Amino acid sequence: MKCKDVHNKLIFFLEGDLSEAEMKAVQEHLSECRECALFAEELKLTFSILETERKPGVNPFFYTRVKAKLEKQEEQSIERRPVLARVLQPVAFSLILLLAIYGGIKFGATSAEQSASLTVKQELIPYLNEMDVEPIENFLMQ
């Protein structure tokens, strides 16, 4: 077996995913080739380091400490806000909402008046245009 083939199959060899015949062939090559054996040892060491780093130790009290800190910060932020600001904020939002409703009603009323005057103008236009009233002249003009 060539070194390049062993290098391609080395990860599968270390994980034990090769067939029995391929495992024997790779093992024989590693016993004969010193460079490939050193490479396999380095790869084993790298895998062991990755495996230990992959599973960090879990601190059972981490969640409770984070939750306590967040609750403490929330309490401090509420205490820092003055009472006047806590009362004025909903009042200001209510006033803005009422002004928006009032403006919407006024805007709707003016647009209804404008559309009513527009329909009156559209009803008068046919009487002012003589070509639309007399269909015979219209027919001859076409």
Side-chain angles (χ1 to χ4, degrees), residues 85-104:
R86 283 187 271 166
V87 172
L88 285 180
Q89 186 178 10
V91 170
F93 286 138
S94 300
L95 285 175
I96 290 171
L97 180 65
L98 290 173
L99 285 174
I101 291 172
Y102 177 75

PDB file of all heavy atoms in Angstrom, residues 85-104:
ATOM      1  N   ALA A  85     -41.034  59.558  35.834  1.00  0.00           N
ATOM      2  CA  ALA A  85     -40.845  59.013  34.486  1.00  0.00           C
ATOM      3  C   ALA A  85     -41.699  57.760  34.285  1.00  0.00           C
ATOM      4  O   ALA A  85     -42.236  57.535  33.198  1.00  0.00           O
ATOM      5  CB  ALA A  85     -39.378  58.684  34.253  1.00  0.00           C
ATOM      6  N   ARG A  86     -41.841  56.943  35.314  1.00  0.00           N
ATOM      7  CA  ARG A  86     -42.660  55.743  35.196  1.00  0.00           C
ATOM      8  C   ARG A  86     -44.131  56.080  35.016  1.00  0.00           C
ATOM      9  O   ARG A  86     -44.879  55.326  34.412  1.00  0.00           O
ATOM     10  CB  ARG A  86     -42.484  54.860  36.431  1.00  0.00           C
ATOM     11  CG  ARG A  86     -41.180  54.085  36.394  1.00  0.00           C
ATOM     12  CD  ARG A  86     -41.120  53.118  37.530  1.00  0.00           C
ATOM     13  NE  ARG A  86     -40.509  53.824  38.666  1.00  0.00           N
ATOM     14  CZ  ARG A  86     -40.513  53.412  39.918  1.00  0.00           C
ATOM     15  NH1 ARG A  86     -41.141  52.299  40.221  1.00  0.00           N
ATOM     16  NH2 ARG A  86     -39.922  54.075  40.850  1.00  0.00           N
ATOM     17  N   VAL A  87     -44.562  57.236  35.526  1.00  0.00           N
ATOM     18  CA  VAL A  87     -45.959  57.645  35.394  1.00  0.00           C
ATOM     19  C   VAL A  87     -46.170  58.399  34.089  1.00  0.00           C
ATOM     20  O   VAL A  87     -47.180  58.213  33.403  1.00  0.00           O
ATOM     21  CB  VAL A  87     -46.376  58.515  36.604  1.00  0.00           C
ATOM     22  CG1 VAL A  87     -47.737  59.114  36.393  1.00  0.00           C
ATOM     23  CG2 VAL A  87     -46.337  57.684  37.879  1.00  0.00           C
ATOM     24  N   LEU A  88     -45.215  59.250  33.724  1.00  0.00           N
ATOM     25  CA  LEU A  88     -45.376  60.093  32.540  1.00  0.00           C
ATOM     26  C   LEU A  88     -45.291  59.312  31.222  1.00  0.00           C
ATOM     27  O   LEU A  88     -45.915  59.708  30.238  1.00  0.00           O
ATOM     28  CB  LEU A  88     -44.333  61.204  32.530  1.00  0.00           C
ATOM     29  CG  LEU A  88     -44.586  62.347  33.515  1.00  0.00           C
ATOM     30  CD1 LEU A  88     -43.481  63.381  33.407  1.00  0.00           C
ATOM     31  CD2 LEU A  88     -45.930  62.995  33.259  1.00  0.00           C
ATOM     32  N   GLN A  89     -44.561  58.250  31.217  1.00  0.00           N
ATOM     33  CA  GLN A  89     -44.411  57.505  29.970  1.00  0.00           C
ATOM     34  C   GLN A  89     -45.749  56.953  29.467  1.00  0.00           C
ATOM     35  O   GLN A  89     -46.097  57.177  28.303  1.00  0.00           O
ATOM     36  CB  GLN A  89     -43.394  56.385  30.153  1.00  0.00           C
ATOM     37  CG  GLN A  89     -43.075  55.647  28.872  1.00  0.00           C
ATOM     38  CD  GLN A  89     -42.026  54.576  29.085  1.00  0.00           C
ATOM     39  OE1 GLN A  89     -41.661  54.260  30.205  1.00  0.00           O
ATOM     40  NE2 GLN A  89     -41.542  54.016  27.995  1.00  0.00           N
ATOM     41  N   PRO A  90     -46.549  56.268  30.270  1.00  0.00           N
ATOM     42  CA  PRO A  90     -47.848  55.802  29.756  1.00  0.00           C
ATOM     43  C   PRO A  90     -48.788  56.948  29.410  1.00  0.00           C
ATOM     44  O   PRO A  90     -49.569  56.856  28.453  1.00  0.00           O
ATOM     45  CB  PRO A  90     -48.417  54.965  30.907  1.00  0.00           C
ATOM     46  CG  PRO A  90     -47.289  54.664  31.798  1.00  0.00           C
ATOM     47  CD  PRO A  90     -46.278  55.713  31.592  1.00  0.00           C
ATOM     48  N   VAL A  91     -48.709  58.046  30.165  1.00  0.00           N
ATOM     49  CA  VAL A  91     -49.566  59.195  29.874  1.00  0.00           C
ATOM     50  C   VAL A  91     -49.198  59.781  28.513  1.00  0.00           C
ATOM     51  O   VAL A  91     -50.076  60.112  27.707  1.00  0.00           O
ATOM     52  CB  VAL A  91     -49.454  60.256  30.993  1.00  0.00           C
ATOM     53  CG1 VAL A  91     -50.132  61.545  30.602  1.00  0.00           C
ATOM     54  CG2 VAL A  91     -50.029  59.708  32.299  1.00  0.00           C
ATOM     55  N   ALA A  92     -47.910  59.907  28.257  1.00  0.00           N
ATOM     56  CA  ALA A  92     -47.461  60.457  26.969  1.00  0.00           C
ATOM     57  C   ALA A  92     -47.902  59.547  25.817  1.00  0.00           C
ATOM     58  O   ALA A  92     -48.374  60.035  24.776  1.00  0.00           O
ATOM     59  CB  ALA A  92     -45.944  60.616  26.980  1.00  0.00           C
ATOM     60  N   PHE A  93     -47.767  58.246  25.972  1.00  0.00           N
ATOM     61  CA  PHE A  93     -48.193  57.329  24.919  1.00  0.00           C
ATOM     62  C   PHE A  93     -49.698  57.424  24.693  1.00  0.00           C
ATOM     63  O   PHE A  93     -50.166  57.368  23.548  1.00  0.00           O
ATOM     64  CB  PHE A  93     -47.802  55.890  25.252  1.00  0.00           C
ATOM     65  CG  PHE A  93     -46.336  55.613  25.100  1.00  0.00           C
ATOM     66  CD1 PHE A  93     -45.667  54.856  26.037  1.00  0.00           C
ATOM     67  CD2 PHE A  93     -45.619  56.102  24.025  1.00  0.00           C
ATOM     68  CE1 PHE A  93     -44.313  54.597  25.903  1.00  0.00           C
ATOM     69  CE2 PHE A  93     -44.275  55.853  23.883  1.00  0.00           C
ATOM     70  CZ  PHE A  93     -43.614  55.096  24.832  1.00  0.00           C
ATOM     71  N   SER A  94     -50.470  57.586  25.743  1.00  0.00           N
ATOM     72  CA  SER A  94     -51.927  57.710  25.604  1.00  0.00           C
ATOM     73  C   SER A  94     -52.298  58.984  24.855  1.00  0.00           C
ATOM     74  O   SER A  94     -53.182  58.984  23.991  1.00  0.00           O
ATOM     75  CB  SER A  94     -52.601  57.698  26.973  1.00  0.00           C
ATOM     76  OG  SER A  94     -52.323  56.499  27.648  1.00  0.00           O
ATOM     77  N   LEU A  95     -51.619  60.090  25.181  1.00  0.00           N
ATOM     78  CA  LEU A  95     -51.882  61.354  24.487  1.00  0.00           C
ATOM     79  C   LEU A  95     -51.537  61.257  23.003  1.00  0.00           C
ATOM     80  O   LEU A  95     -52.288  61.754  22.149  1.00  0.00           O
ATOM     81  CB  LEU A  95     -51.111  62.495  25.142  1.00  0.00           C
ATOM     82  CG  LEU A  95     -51.663  62.985  26.482  1.00  0.00           C
ATOM     83  CD1 LEU A  95     -50.731  64.027  27.083  1.00  0.00           C
ATOM     84  CD2 LEU A  95     -53.062  63.543  26.320  1.00  0.00           C
ATOM     85  N   ILE A  96     -50.422  60.630  22.706  1.00  0.00           N
ATOM     86  CA  ILE A  96     -50.024  60.473  21.306  1.00  0.00           C
ATOM     87  C   ILE A  96     -51.059  59.638  20.564  1.00  0.00           C
ATOM     88  O   ILE A  96     -51.431  59.950  19.418  1.00  0.00           O
ATOM     89  CB  ILE A  96     -48.617  59.840  21.212  1.00  0.00           C
ATOM     90  CG1 ILE A  96     -47.570  60.842  21.701  1.00  0.00           C
ATOM     91  CG2 ILE A  96     -48.309  59.385  19.794  1.00  0.00           C
ATOM     92  CD1 ILE A  96     -46.188  60.264  21.845  1.00  0.00           C
ATOM     93  N   LEU A  97     -51.556  58.581  21.202  1.00  0.00           N
ATOM     94  CA  LEU A  97     -52.572  57.745  20.586  1.00  0.00           C
ATOM     95  C   LEU A  97     -53.861  58.524  20.325  1.00  0.00           C
ATOM     96  O   LEU A  97     -54.450  58.444  19.248  1.00  0.00           O
ATOM     97  CB  LEU A  97     -52.869  56.529  21.469  1.00  0.00           C
ATOM     98  CG  LEU A  97     -53.914  55.554  20.946  1.00  0.00           C
ATOM     99  CD1 LEU A  97     -53.428  54.901  19.664  1.00  0.00           C
ATOM    100  CD2 LEU A  97     -54.245  54.522  21.993  1.00  0.00           C
ATOM    101  N   LEU A  98     -54.291  59.308  21.291  1.00  0.00           N
ATOM    102  CA  LEU A  98     -55.496  60.114  21.113  1.00  0.00           C
ATOM    103  C   LEU A  98     -55.329  61.150  20.006  1.00  0.00           C
ATOM    104  O   LEU A  98     -56.244  61.382  19.206  1.00  0.00           O
ATOM    105  CB  LEU A  98     -55.883  60.799  22.428  1.00  0.00           C
ATOM    106  CG  LEU A  98     -56.420  59.857  23.526  1.00  0.00           C
ATOM    107  CD1 LEU A  98     -56.608  60.622  24.819  1.00  0.00           C
ATOM    108  CD2 LEU A  98     -57.705  59.201  23.073  1.00  0.00           C
ATOM    109  N   LEU A  99     -54.167  61.800  19.948  1.00  0.00           N
ATOM    110  CA  LEU A  99     -53.905  62.769  18.878  1.00  0.00           C
ATOM    111  C   LEU A  99     -53.923  62.088  17.502  1.00  0.00           C
ATOM    112  O   LEU A  99     -54.418  62.652  16.525  1.00  0.00           O
ATOM    113  CB  LEU A  99     -52.568  63.462  19.106  1.00  0.00           C
ATOM    114  CG  LEU A  99     -52.559  64.527  20.209  1.00  0.00           C
ATOM    115  CD1 LEU A  99     -51.138  65.027  20.440  1.00  0.00           C
ATOM    116  CD2 LEU A  99     -53.478  65.679  19.840  1.00  0.00           C
ATOM    117  N   ALA A 100     -53.377  60.880  17.435  1.00  0.00           N
ATOM    118  CA  ALA A 100     -53.375  60.164  16.159  1.00  0.00           C
ATOM    119  C   ALA A 100     -54.800  59.813  15.730  1.00  0.00           C
ATOM    120  O   ALA A 100     -55.150  59.943  14.552  1.00  0.00           O
ATOM    121  CB  ALA A 100     -52.528  58.898  16.285  1.00  0.00           C
ATOM    122  N   ILE A 101     -55.624  59.403  16.663  1.00  0.00           N
ATOM    123  CA  ILE A 101     -57.017  59.078  16.339  1.00  0.00           C
ATOM    124  C   ILE A 101     -57.754  60.330  15.879  1.00  0.00           C
ATOM    125  O   ILE A 101     -58.472  60.306  14.874  1.00  0.00           O
ATOM    126  CB  ILE A 101     -57.715  58.425  17.552  1.00  0.00           C
ATOM    127  CG1 ILE A 101     -57.134  57.045  17.798  1.00  0.00           C
ATOM    128  CG2 ILE A 101     -59.224  58.343  17.340  1.00  0.00           C
ATOM    129  CD1 ILE A 101     -57.603  56.399  19.077  1.00  0.00           C
ATOM    130  N   TYR A 102     -57.575  61.440  16.587  1.00  0.00           N
ATOM    131  CA  TYR A 102     -58.222  62.701  16.218  1.00  0.00           C
ATOM    132  C   TYR A 102     -57.768  63.149  14.822  1.00  0.00           C
ATOM    133  O   TYR A 102     -58.587  63.555  13.990  1.00  0.00           O
ATOM    134  CB  TYR A 102     -57.902  63.772  17.262  1.00  0.00           C
ATOM    135  CG  TYR A 102     -58.464  65.131  16.925  1.00  0.00           C
ATOM    136  CD1 TYR A 102     -59.817  65.402  17.062  1.00  0.00           C
ATOM    137  CD2 TYR A 102     -57.631  66.145  16.447  1.00  0.00           C
ATOM    138  CE1 TYR A 102     -60.322  66.642  16.734  1.00  0.00           C
ATOM    139  CE2 TYR A 102     -58.132  67.387  16.116  1.00  0.00           C
ATOM    140  CZ  TYR A 102     -59.483  67.639  16.270  1.00  0.00           C
ATOM    141  OH  TYR A 102     -59.985  68.865  15.949  1.00  0.00           O
ATOM    142  N   GLY A 103     -56.462  63.070  14.573  1.00  0.00           N
ATOM    143  CA  GLY A 103     -55.947  63.456  13.254  1.00  0.00           C
ATOM    144  C   GLY A 103     -56.498  62.567  12.157  1.00  0.00           C
ATOM    145  O   GLY A 103     -56.799  63.032  11.064  1.00  0.00           O
ATOM    146  N   GLY A 104     -56.644  61.276  12.422  1.00  0.00           N
ATOM    147  CA  GLY A 104     -57.199  60.364  11.428  1.00  0.00           C
ATOM    148  C   GLY A 104     -58.644  60.695  11.101  1.00  0.00           C
ATOM    149  O   GLY A 104     -59.061  60.653   9.942  1.00  0.00           O
TER     150      GLY A 104
END
